[in-house]
Amino acid sequence: MVVSGYYESPAEFFAENKNIAGFDNPGKSLYTTVRELVENSLDSAESISELPVVEITIEEIGKSKFNSMIGLVDRERVDTKLYDDYETEKARERRLAKEARAQELQAKNAALGKKVKEPSATKGAKGRGEASFYRVTCKDNGKGMPHDDIPNMFGRVLSGTKYGLKQTRGKFGLGAKMALIWSKMSTGLPIEISSSMRSHNFISFCKLDIDIHRNIPHVHLHEKRENKDRWHGAEIQVVIEGNWTTYRSKILHYMRQMAVITPYAQFLFKFVSEVAEKNVTIRFSRRTDVMPPVPVETKHHPSSVDLLLIKGLIAETSKGTLLQFLQHEFVNIGKSLAERLIGEMGPEFSPKMAVKSLTSQQIVRIHQLFRQAKFDDPSGGCLSPAGEYNLRLGIIKELHPDMVATYSGSAQVFEGHPFIVEAGVSVGGKDVKQGLNIFRFANRIPLLFEQGGDVVTRTAMKRINWSSYKINQTQDKIGVFVSIVSTKIPFKGTGKEYIGDDTKEIASAVKVRHCPLVLKFFVTNLTSKLTTSFLQSAIQQCCIQLKSKIVRKIQDREQQERKRNLSRYVPDATYAVYDVLKEISKFHASKKRRYEEEEEDVLRKVQSRSITKETLKEMLAQYVEKVDYEMALEYATQSGVNEEPREAIYIQALEDGYNFTDLHSSNFVFRFIQ
């Protein structure tokens, strides 16, 4: 119940404002449900350092099957005029006549050899149409859930009470709870959860829905079942209203991009239709077993807090004095700095005063000082970027580009929150459109909506002169990949689907200045510890690497064209030269000596048929090869390109049971086996 803008529970708030959680319409709700379940599965597996294996299935449920699931008997229409899709006899005649004319025109075009468009689906009378329902199932090999905690984990929407900071995939912290709320609103059917932890010899099974107004779980069945296969993880099954037709491409793009940013995971996606021809099965294989570190929870930076957060930290802290509170509840405040801050606050403050006794005015003074004082930047040690190695592998695995380059920047700061930007640019590839193809990631999840206003899109399209790097922005297949991780992503809009172009720190980190294929991330933030010259040096090294690839490709293409042109004239040149030599050889013996010794030798060989058209043709072909090689070598030397070929080497992953240490580089991981 909503009274004067007041919601009785968090669940009721999100039910009434489901659009801010990505449940705008049935199609978007299906996409968001898939996304939430997949991301929960990845988080669960990564939390126990298990290489993720995620299976996601969307099963189409017809009207009759859905009615039987809810215990409703199908009923024939009696009063047809009552329905929104009712079609009068005249309207039906006009529609059929229009379809007949369209079929006649198609037949005429086919007879003339013209391209015939596929007939579009027949549109009936105007109406909303019937709802479509889908069973979404997600199974993983993650951590699993404690048996007694499952009802509250799914059936209760909690308002945040934790005051720590951590990089998370989720945008609202709802996970599968919002899918359950949407299921309750659209189908009324409960969600089914199966879960088992590593230490358990049983599988927890729970069927429940949620009391939205009271924000409590309504448990239908909660029991323990035998776990014969010693499986651990979770399997979640929910039936919702959705629209596969309009959001098919978005869901498949999401899965593909998730496979790019998590090449250490294995995904199996299935769509099961009532019509077998519409079934879809796609497997995204694992390419590496190197996983990013698990994000670490950290404390707030003084410059990132507001009044409300300071009050919340004071209410939750276990520290007694103001000095202890400043030291232990914030990063980068040591004892000496805390004492200096307290001295600056005024005479009414003292290090030993009880932090719980602070008045509202005193808390405002603390907040003002936090905004004005100078603090060291937070470190990026709490963050977990995908890693340049994984990003490169993911791009190669899914796009198969002709060239790819990647770059990983150092940690920078935005409003007291650390962030790291990683990027990759590819040229060519499979299933890539001509022009710029933008792939955006925030905290290692794909962003597919509202691309036009995003800082990455604007930077790639408006601030880079691609032609200066021998890249055709409209004709080449260019993939631009940018991944940003942070304890706070500066999203714009209620849907949290893009990062605004007005965020200077992020924009400067994404901006490209000197290198085309590596979105060079130079940072102008004055508080950065990383000098501009160091960044430029790193960027230039990337540019040299990529420029050599482009030049080498151009060199190979020109070499092939040059050789093809020279070889084309070898037969004609052979016949012409041989005929001239043969004519000269007939008369040179009767005349005075007019030729050098070598020339005389050639004429004698022609006369004695030691040199024939075939041998001359072979000699000319060899000469073309020699000249072509020398020209290519000279071109490569002038361009600074190493002539030696380089090939990618992929080493088979080891079986379990080995102890090893990984040394990470941008292009490879070197593993020491113990």
Side-chain angles (χ1 to χ4, degrees):
M1 179 180 179
V2 184
V3 181
S4 300
Y6 171 75
Y7 295 90
E8 287 188 354
S9 72
E12 191 172 47
F13 170 81
F14 281 105
E16 292 291 334
N17 300 276
K18 58 185 182 297
N19 60 302
I20 67 173
F23 287 76
D24 308 53
N25 53 63
K28 183 80 177 288
S29 299
L30 179 62
Y31 162 81
T32 306
T33 298
V34 170
R35 193 202 71 201
E36 292 285 2
L37 295 180
V38 168
E39 290 162 15
N40 279 0
S41 294
L42 290 173
D43 287 338
S44 177
E46 290 172 5
S47 68
I48 57 172
S49 301
E50 184 83 22
L51 291 170
V53 178
V54 182
E55 299 177 10
I56 187 84
T57 303
I58 302 175
E59 180 187 351
E60 187 178 27
I61 298 176
K63 178 184 174 182
S64 298
K65 185 175 181 180
F66 176 75
N67 286 345
S68 66
M69 290 172 64
I70 61 175
L72 186 65
V73 179
D74 287 343
R75 178 177 171 83
E76 295 292 332
R77 295 184 179 185
V78 178
D79 187 353
T80 55
K81 294 182 180 180
L82 181 65
Y83 294 88
D84 189 49
D85 58 356
Y86 171 72
E87 188 178 25
T88 65
E89 189 63 32
K90 286 185 178 180
R92 182 173 178 276
E93 289 176 1
R94 286 196 299 269
R95 176 172 60 81
L96 293 175
K98 184 178 179 181
E99 291 174 2
R101 286 195 300 272
Q103 290 176 359
E104 185 180 348
L105 181 61
Q106 279 191 336
K108 207 176 279 186
N109 289 338
L112 294 173
K114 295 181 180 179
K115 188 176 180 180
V116 179
K117 292 183 179 179
E118 290 292 326
S120 57
T122 302
K123 294 182 180 179
K126 185 178 75 173
R128 292 184 298 271
E130 294 183 351
S132 300
F133 301 100
Y134 301 88
R135 178 186 286 112
V136 182
T137 306
C138 186
K139 184 177 182 180
D140 62 60
N141 63 334
K143 182 180 180 180
M145 294 163 279
H147 179 80
D148 295 333
D149 294 348
I150 292 176
N152 281 330
M153 291 178 74
F154 286 87
R156 190 188 300 273
V157 179
L158 301 176
S159 54
T161 55
K162 290 181 67 178
Y163 287 92
L165 274 179
K166 188 177 180 181
Q167 171 192 325
T168 58
R169 281 193 171 96
K171 297 178 183 178
F172 297 98
L174 292 174
K177 298 183 183 75
M178 195 61 216
L180 176 55
I181 292 173
W182 174 245
S183 173
K184 178 80 171 180
M185 295 173 68
S186 61
T187 68
L189 291 172
I191 191 172
E192 295 183 4
I193 305 109
S194 297
S195 174
S196 182
M197 304 181 73
R198 277 178 170 173
S199 57
H200 292 171
N201 58 3
F202 61 88
I203 294 175
S204 302
F205 178 80
C206 187
K207 181 187 288 188
L208 61 88
D209 61 27
I210 184 172
D211 186 328
I212 292 177
H213 302 298
R214 297 168 61 197
N215 191 30
I216 60 172
H218 175 213
V219 179
H220 297 249
L221 179 63
H222 193 191
E223 62 183 10
K224 296 180 180 179
R225 297 178 176 178
E226 189 177 0
N227 187 6
K228 294 181 179 179
D229 300 327
R230 307 296 295 175
W231 165 73
H232 64 83
E235 182 176 9
I236 300 170
Q237 189 176 105
V238 60
V239 179
I240 60 172
E241 182 183 353
N243 191 327
W244 167 256
T245 305
T246 56
Y247 274 78
R248 178 184 188 274
S249 62
K250 287 291 186 186
I251 293 172
L252 296 181
H253 283 161
Y254 170 82
M255 295 302 302
R256 188 188 190 196
Q257 292 189 31
M258 186 59 85
V260 168
I261 203 68
T262 53
Y264 52 88
Q266 178 177 303
F267 298 99
L268 178 61
F269 176 83
K270 293 181 181 179
F271 173 75
V272 182
S273 173
E274 291 186 309
V275 182
E277 289 77 12
K278 295 182 179 180
N279 289 350
V280 177
T281 300
I282 304 176
R283 182 182 297 275
F284 300 92
S285 301
R286 179 184 295 120
R287 180 61 183 270
T288 176
D289 58 1
V290 177
M291 295 175 61
V294 177
V296 178
E297 186 170 324
T298 185
K299 296 172 183 176
H300 288 274
H301 191 269
S303 64
S304 70
V305 296
D306 54 31
L307 270 174
L308 190 62
L309 182 55
I310 294 175
K311 291 179 179 179
L313 289 170
I314 291 172
E316 293 289 323
T317 188
S318 59
K319 305 303 176 184
T321 66
L322 178 58
L323 179 66
Q324 293 173 331
F325 172 72
L326 295 177
Q327 274 186 261
H328 296 283
E329 297 296 341
F330 300 96
V331 295
N332 295 352
I333 297 183
K335 183 177 180 181
S336 61
L337 179 57
E339 290 173 343
R340 290 173 60 194
L341 289 170
I342 294 170
E344 186 66 22
M345 290 175 190
E348 67 271 22
F349 293 87
S350 68
K352 294 184 178 180
M353 71 182 297
V355 68
K356 302 282 187 181
S357 67
L358 290 171
T359 65
S360 296
Q361 291 79 10
Q362 289 175 322
I363 294 174
V364 170
R365 174 59 186 146
I366 294 174
H367 179 239
Q368 289 175 345
L369 185 57
F370 278 177
R371 291 174 66 90
Q372 297 168 1
K374 181 181 178 181
F375 299 95
D376 290 337
D377 291 337
S379 73
C382 61
L383 301 179
S384 175
E388 191 176 346
Y389 172 75
N390 276 343
L391 181 59
R392 178 184 292 267
L393 278 185
I395 296 170
I396 294 172
K397 177 172 76 79
E398 293 303 321
L399 272 71
H400 304 283
D402 301 327
M403 290 181 286
V404 62
T406 52
Y407 173 76
S408 181
S410 302
Q412 305 302 321
V413 180
F414 163 70
E415 294 183 356
H417 293 272
F419 72 90
I420 294 176
V421 178
E422 298 175 302
V425 178
S426 65
V427 176
K430 183 181 71 172
D431 299 331
V432 183
K433 297 183 295 184
Q434 284 186 328
L436 290 174
N437 298 265
I438 312 294
F439 299 83
R440 303 169 296 135
F441 304 92
N443 282 348
R444 308 211 314 261
I445 63 171
L447 302 177
L448 300 186
F449 297 91
E450 301 183 60
Q451 179 171 293
D454 193 275
V455 61
V456 176
T457 305
R458 290 178 178 268
T459 299
M461 298 189 74
K462 297 182 179 181
R463 298 170 188 160
I464 306 175
N465 184 8
W466 295 96
S467 61
S468 65
Y469 306 106
K470 303 183 185 298
I471 299 175
N472 191 314
Q473 184 175 344
T474 57
Q475 295 184 4
D476 288 338
K477 298 177 178 180
I478 309 168
V480 180
F481 305 79
V482 175
S483 171
I484 300 173
V485 296
S486 177
T487 52
K488 178 186 178 182
I489 299 291
F491 288 115
K492 295 290 182 180
T494 56
K496 296 189 176 183
E497 289 290 352
Y498 74 102
I499 299 170
D501 197 28
D502 57 346
T503 307
K504 293 180 180 179
E505 292 86 350
I506 301 287
S508 64
V510 174
K511 192 173 182 180
V512 181
R513 283 284 175 97
H514 303 291
C515 179
L517 282 187
V518 177
L519 286 185
K520 305 142 292 220
F521 300 80
F522 88 99
V523 179
T524 57
N525 188 354
L526 296 177
T527 60
S528 175
K529 294 181 180 179
L530 195 60
T531 64
T532 304
S533 60
F534 180 82
L535 273 174
Q536 287 178 342
S537 175
I539 291 166
Q540 286 166 356
Q541 292 301 317
C542 294
C543 291
I544 291 170
Q545 173 197 351
L546 289 167
K547 182 181 178 182
S548 69
K549 291 182 180 181
I550 298 171
V551 171
R552 187 182 297 117
K553 188 174 182 180
I554 295 173
Q555 171 201 343
D556 292 342
R557 187 166 59 244
E558 291 180 350
Q559 181 181 354
Q560 291 173 1
E561 184 65 24
R562 186 172 57 249
K563 183 177 178 181
R564 188 161 49 246
N565 289 335
L566 289 172
S567 300
R568 186 187 305 164
Y569 298 107
V570 166
D572 293 339
T574 300
Y575 298 145
V577 172
Y578 185 77
D579 289 343
V580 171
L581 290 174
K582 195 172 182 182
E583 288 298 321
I584 294 174
S585 67
K586 289 179 181 179
F587 302 104
H588 88 284
S590 61
K591 298 183 180 181
K592 293 182 179 181
R593 181 185 179 87
R594 292 181 301 161
Y595 307 104
E596 299 292 335
E597 185 177 345
E598 291 182 3
E599 296 169 345
E600 287 282 351
D601 185 53
V602 170
L603 292 174
R604 281 196 299 271
K605 287 181 178 180
V606 171
Q607 213 170 15
S608 63
R609 298 188 63 79
S610 296
I611 294 179
T612 63
K613 287 184 179 180
E614 286 70 25
T615 55
L616 184 60
K617 184 178 179 181
E618 184 179 344
M619 291 165 65
L620 283 174
Q622 291 175 354
Y623 183 74
V624 166
E625 289 280 354
K626 180 183 177 183
V627 171
D628 179 66
Y629 177 80
E630 290 175 350
M631 291 177 67
L633 186 59
E634 182 182 0
Y635 181 84
T637 304
Q638 292 174 353
S639 305
V641 179
N642 191 340
E643 184 199 8
E644 298 178 4
R646 298 180 181 180
E647 296 182 0
I649 299 175
Y650 303 106
I651 301 175
Q652 182 68 32
L654 294 171
E655 299 295 332
D656 294 337
Y658 291 89
N659 295 322
F660 53 82
T661 302
D662 288 342
L663 298 180
H664 292 256
S665 169
S666 61
N667 297 324
F668 66 90
V669 172
F670 194 87
R671 176 163 291 174
F672 286 101
I673 309 297
Q674 298 177 355

